[in-house]
Amino acid sequence: MSGRVLRLTAAQATVRYLAAQRVEGADGQAVPYFAGCWAIFGHGNVAGLGEALQCSQDALPTYRAHNEQAMAHAAIAFAKQARRRRAMVCTTSIGPGATNMVTAAALAHVNRLPVLFLPGDVYASRRPDPVLQQIEDFGDGTVSANDCFRPVSRYFDRLTRPEQILDALPKAMTVLTDPAACGPVTLAFCQDVQAEAWDYPEDFFAPRLWRFRRPPADPYDLADLVVRIRAARRPLIIAGGGVLYAGAEALLADLAAATGVPVAETQAGKGALPWDHPSNLGAVGVTGTGVANAAAAEADLVIGIGTRLQDFTTGSRALFRGAGRTLVQVNVSAHDAVKQGAVGVVGDAAAVLAALAPLLAGWRVPADWARALAAPALAWDQAWEAAMAAPGGPGGDNVLPTDAQVLGALWRQAAEDAVVVCAAGGLPGELHKLWRVRRPGGYHVEYGYSCMGYEIAGGLGVKMAEPERDVHVVVGDGSYLMMNSEIATAAMLGLKLTITVLDNRGYGCINRLQRATGGAPFNNLLADTRHAALPAIDFAAHAASLGATARKVADIAALEAALAEARSGTGVQVIVIDTDPAVSTAAGGAWWDVAVPEVSDRAAVRQARAAYDEKTKDQR
Ligand SMILES: Cc1ncc(C[n+]2csc(CCOP(=O)(O)OP(=O)(O)O)c2C)c(N)n1
Ligand SMILES: [Mg+2]
């Protein structure tokens, strides 16, 4: 302890502390944990945090966005692409700027991704109350708009005194870097406190290296798992995001190769194995491949590794069904390890896989299990070819390409190490089923919150995390219209993104869901809405006005040519293509629990309800 103090404002001290936090980079060298701070200023942060950031641009670069939710999406995507090893900060004013970030906080919370939110807050002194944008609670003087962050933060604090950061910031770092507790941290920073000075101990700002703990499993649990695996006739591993966050892909690939245990992947875990690894069955669940879901339906031992078993993974708990089956959950979080009657093995994915390898040496999965999966594997390969192939010859004026055909073109044109980015609409399901991930990190789909508007801002964050890789955003017209502002930010920062907009004139996937649940087409496709005139939105002109190089293409052949051209282009490249809203890939997939009305005047609803009642009988 030097015993020296520095007189700084709470905001200056916060920025100085954040800039001093380090982690080990890829080459073993220490790098800053926070890659930068996204900021949109208002009266709640411009004078305090704004001044502090401006003075620290070498240590903690500031980026200006156009929408607080979008900038938070970029920050979260950065952390996801960095496998949670680095993160970004987001600061806003009080009021609408702050609450604009609440949706993004929920997104980070669901996906267990680190991000530090510093929304401004109302005066701690309460001198100017009610300050501009302050909500007034008639029954509780301590409530502010930022209380909305509480249920969507892994750690929440309100800074009402400058010295509170001495505890709050290290606690924030602990949560951000903890493998089990990882998620968004909100430090609501009172506007007056940001500007208040304090004598901070100089030691507080010393560079600090954070290590990511990799807790091993309890030896008893591990031994029990080995006994179960050795006794299994039809084991199946389900790889979740935890495999990627633990950096356990090579360990998983080796174990799968050595034992022959097949592996299926969740949305967050997709890419854990390269698509052509002999054990990789591809996606599992509602948007799963035929072969992975056949394996899931037959397996006697399902081993989830780093998955939170969301309903898309389990087919709403109807996919892994039947007596005499065991579910084991290997997870760093005890909360996830006990889900759905699982036998829990609490530990880090990499630590558990490394420990399993010698204990399973010499053991291989029974040969009849691989034989049983050979036919569905072949059938799935044929379904893949049929879905992804370019349409043969001119389809005539009325035939629009499917989402899968667009993805086929993109897959053929994308560079070996490209990253595909998506979040909501029909595309994540098609990507999960059909995209063949060539390189680790090549698949970035946010499907925990499946938040429309994540795609473009997320692509920006991905590009910042891995600037050397080509980033392909695929986005529906609905998501594009919800949030496209960060095209301008990417253009401003000179970052290259290739964005393919699939215009099917509305919320295609929800229209399909509506019809599947017996509903009349209503309020999803633009044509089915209350309107005076049908919008004919020129997405290319819109994107161009934001600074992109944009064009519209007529068919798959033109799309491939445009993608090839975009590959050598710079800046934001936008390609728009009209697609068929009615078609998605029928092969593969599993049931999804979407409750159908129990009574209705519509015969189609009554029919759908009868089918629904049948399917719910399969739920475990
Ligand atoms: C913020 C948000 N609002 C609503 C939804 C519900 N939702 C999921 S997909 C979807 C439609 C997406 O439309 P589009 O982007 O055009 O994709 P498409 O379904 O046509 O493939 C909607 C409304 C959501 N996931 N996120
Ligand atoms: Mg659409």
Side-chain angles (χ1 to χ4, degrees), residues 476-478 502 504 506-508:
D477 55 310
L502 288 80
N504 58 11
Y507 303 154

mmCIF file with all atom_site columns, all heavy atoms in Angstrom, residues 476-478 502 504 506-508, ligand 2:
data_model
loop_
_atom_site.group_PDB
_atom_site.id
_atom_site.type_symbol
_atom_site.label_atom_id
_atom_site.label_alt_id
_atom_site.label_comp_id
_atom_site.label_asym_id
_atom_site.label_entity_id
_atom_site.label_seq_id
_atom_site.pdbx_PDB_ins_code
_atom_site.Cartn_x
_atom_site.Cartn_y
_atom_site.Cartn_z
_atom_site.occupancy
_atom_site.B_iso_or_equiv
_atom_site.pdbx_formal_charge
_atom_site.auth_seq_id
_atom_site.auth_comp_id
_atom_site.auth_asym_id
_atom_site.auth_atom_id
_atom_site.pdbx_PDB_model_num
ATOM   1  N  N   . GLY A 1 476 ? -33.961 -10.174 -41.340 1.00 0.00 ? 476 GLY A N   1
ATOM   2  C  CA  . GLY A 1 476 ? -35.249 -10.036 -42.003 1.00 0.00 ? 476 GLY A CA  1
ATOM   3  C  C   . GLY A 1 476 ? -35.656 -8.577  -42.118 1.00 0.00 ? 476 GLY A C   1
ATOM   4  O  O   . GLY A 1 476 ? -35.094 -7.707  -41.439 1.00 0.00 ? 476 GLY A O   1
ATOM   5  N  N   . ASP A 1 477 ? -36.639 -8.307  -42.966 1.00 0.00 ? 477 ASP A N   1
ATOM   6  C  CA  . ASP A 1 477 ? -37.117 -6.933  -43.143 1.00 0.00 ? 477 ASP A CA  1
ATOM   7  C  C   . ASP A 1 477 ? -37.671 -6.379  -41.820 1.00 0.00 ? 477 ASP A C   1
ATOM   8  O  O   . ASP A 1 477 ? -37.490 -5.203  -41.510 1.00 0.00 ? 477 ASP A O   1
ATOM   9  C  CB  . ASP A 1 477 ? -38.190 -6.863  -44.234 1.00 0.00 ? 477 ASP A CB  1
ATOM   10 C  CG  . ASP A 1 477 ? -39.352 -7.814  -43.977 1.00 0.00 ? 477 ASP A CG  1
ATOM   11 O  OD1 . ASP A 1 477 ? -39.104 -8.998  -43.717 1.00 0.00 ? 477 ASP A OD1 1
ATOM   12 O  OD2 . ASP A 1 477 ? -40.519 -7.368  -44.034 1.00 0.00 ? 477 ASP A OD2 1
ATOM   13 N  N   . GLY A 1 478 ? -38.318 -7.248  -41.035 1.00 0.00 ? 478 GLY A N   1
ATOM   14 C  CA  . GLY A 1 478 ? -38.891 -6.779  -39.775 1.00 0.00 ? 478 GLY A CA  1
ATOM   15 C  C   . GLY A 1 478 ? -37.829 -6.338  -38.796 1.00 0.00 ? 478 GLY A C   1
ATOM   16 O  O   . GLY A 1 478 ? -37.907 -5.248  -38.217 1.00 0.00 ? 478 GLY A O   1
ATOM   17 N  N   . LEU A 1 502 ? -33.317 -9.975  -46.005 1.00 0.00 ? 502 LEU A N   1
ATOM   18 C  CA  . LEU A 1 502 ? -34.287 -10.861 -46.654 1.00 0.00 ? 502 LEU A CA  1
ATOM   19 C  C   . LEU A 1 502 ? -35.672 -10.252 -46.482 1.00 0.00 ? 502 LEU A C   1
ATOM   20 O  O   . LEU A 1 502 ? -36.232 -10.258 -45.375 1.00 0.00 ? 502 LEU A O   1
ATOM   21 C  CB  . LEU A 1 502 ? -34.224 -12.274 -46.044 1.00 0.00 ? 502 LEU A CB  1
ATOM   22 C  CG  . LEU A 1 502 ? -32.964 -13.074 -46.417 1.00 0.00 ? 502 LEU A CG  1
ATOM   23 C  CD1 . LEU A 1 502 ? -31.781 -12.664 -45.558 1.00 0.00 ? 502 LEU A CD1 1
ATOM   24 C  CD2 . LEU A 1 502 ? -33.212 -14.559 -46.307 1.00 0.00 ? 502 LEU A CD2 1
ATOM   25 N  N   . ASN A 1 504 ? -39.309 -10.382 -46.935 1.00 0.00 ? 504 ASN A N   1
ATOM   26 C  CA  . ASN A 1 504 ? -40.508 -11.172 -47.248 1.00 0.00 ? 504 ASN A CA  1
ATOM   27 C  C   . ASN A 1 504 ? -41.770 -10.399 -46.877 1.00 0.00 ? 504 ASN A C   1
ATOM   28 O  O   . ASN A 1 504 ? -42.827 -10.969 -46.688 1.00 0.00 ? 504 ASN A O   1
ATOM   29 C  CB  . ASN A 1 504 ? -40.459 -12.558 -46.581 1.00 0.00 ? 504 ASN A CB  1
ATOM   30 C  CG  . ASN A 1 504 ? -40.327 -12.451 -45.068 1.00 0.00 ? 504 ASN A CG  1
ATOM   31 O  OD1 . ASN A 1 504 ? -40.478 -11.376 -44.495 1.00 0.00 ? 504 ASN A OD1 1
ATOM   32 N  ND2 . ASN A 1 504 ? -40.061 -13.565 -44.412 1.00 0.00 ? 504 ASN A ND2 1
ATOM   33 N  N   . GLY A 1 506 ? -42.761 -8.695  -44.157 1.00 0.00 ? 506 GLY A N   1
ATOM   34 C  CA  . GLY A 1 506 ? -43.438 -8.844  -42.880 1.00 0.00 ? 506 GLY A CA  1
ATOM   35 C  C   . GLY A 1 506 ? -42.798 -9.854  -41.969 1.00 0.00 ? 506 GLY A C   1
ATOM   36 O  O   . GLY A 1 506 ? -41.685 -10.332 -42.216 1.00 0.00 ? 506 GLY A O   1
ATOM   37 N  N   . TYR A 1 507 ? -43.537 -10.163 -40.921 1.00 0.00 ? 507 TYR A N   1
ATOM   38 C  CA  . TYR A 1 507 ? -43.062 -11.083 -39.892 1.00 0.00 ? 507 TYR A CA  1
ATOM   39 C  C   . TYR A 1 507 ? -43.408 -12.503 -40.333 1.00 0.00 ? 507 TYR A C   1
ATOM   40 O  O   . TYR A 1 507 ? -44.369 -13.108 -39.861 1.00 0.00 ? 507 TYR A O   1
ATOM   41 C  CB  . TYR A 1 507 ? -43.710 -10.756 -38.551 1.00 0.00 ? 507 TYR A CB  1
ATOM   42 C  CG  . TYR A 1 507 ? -43.487 -9.338  -38.052 1.00 0.00 ? 507 TYR A CG  1
ATOM   43 C  CD1 . TYR A 1 507 ? -44.396 -8.726  -37.190 1.00 0.00 ? 507 TYR A CD1 1
ATOM   44 C  CD2 . TYR A 1 507 ? -42.348 -8.622  -38.422 1.00 0.00 ? 507 TYR A CD2 1
ATOM   45 C  CE1 . TYR A 1 507 ? -44.180 -7.439  -36.720 1.00 0.00 ? 507 TYR A CE1 1
ATOM   46 C  CE2 . TYR A 1 507 ? -42.127 -7.326  -37.955 1.00 0.00 ? 507 TYR A CE2 1
ATOM   47 C  CZ  . TYR A 1 507 ? -43.054 -6.741  -37.111 1.00 0.00 ? 507 TYR A CZ  1
ATOM   48 O  OH  . TYR A 1 507 ? -42.842 -5.473  -36.647 1.00 0.00 ? 507 TYR A OH  1
ATOM   49 N  N   . GLY A 1 508 ? -42.577 -13.020 -41.239 1.00 0.00 ? 508 GLY A N   1
ATOM   50 C  CA  . GLY A 1 508 ? -42.877 -14.299 -41.878 1.00 0.00 ? 508 GLY A CA  1
ATOM   51 C  C   . GLY A 1 508 ? -43.002 -15.449 -40.886 1.00 0.00 ? 508 GLY A C   1
ATOM   52 O  O   . GLY A 1 508 ? -43.939 -16.245 -40.955 1.00 0.00 ? 508 GLY A O   1
HETATM 53 MG MG  . MG  B 2 .   ? -39.720 -10.681 -42.754 1.00 0.00 ? 2   MG  B MG  1
#
